[in-house]
Amino acid sequence: MSLYDEGHTIAGWTGFGIAAVGSAVVGWGVCAVSPPLLVGGLAVVAVSVLVTWALHLSGWGKPPGVRPRGQWGMRIRDTQARAGHTGCVSCRLAGRGRRAGVPAPVTATTAAGPAHLSPVE
């Protein structure tokens, strides 16, 4: 079994289920040439995104990447969700994400005036 257990969460499967229903309604709207069904199905798909996001932020979604085997189960809540996950777009959109340390530009003063140096120079 892979160490990457992506999407095997309550948030992932709930979002998938709601999005599948919304996609079916959109398909029905296409076949029936019905704008209200198309709009309704797209609204259900949008709701699936919001529900998945809310469940992820409440701890029922897991961060991307490798997790210990003890955290692979769907019924195990993520205790790090409040602090945010490194590299997680959902957490960053909610203002929770931990950003990787991006060094600020270093300013050095020379005889000719201040010089702006980047950390890689």
Side-chain angles (χ1 to χ4, degrees), residues 4-110:
Y4 292 91
D5 194 31
E6 302 282 336
H8 296 226
T9 63
I10 298 291
W13 282 109
T14 302
F16 165 76
I18 296 171
V21 169
S23 297
V25 173
V26 168
W28 182 22
V30 167
C31 292
V33 191
S34 172
L37 283 176
L38 287 171
V39 172
L42 291 174
V44 171
V45 170
V47 166
S48 77
V49 171
L50 296 175
V51 167
T52 304
W53 188 32
L55 286 171
H56 173 79
L57 294 176
S58 66
W60 290 111
K62 306 256 174 49
V66 179
R67 290 191 303 276
R69 186 161 177 92
Q71 294 180 3
W72 286 4
M74 281 183 50
R75 294 183 182 151
I76 297 173
R77 229 172 152 167
D78 184 21
T79 57
Q80 299 174 357
R82 283 204 183 267
H85 304 114
T86 304
C88 178
V89 175
S90 293
C91 291
R92 275 189 277 153
L93 286 174
R96 293 186 184 179
R98 295 180 228 155
R99 295 193 177 152
V102 177
V106 177
T107 304
T109 306
T110 63

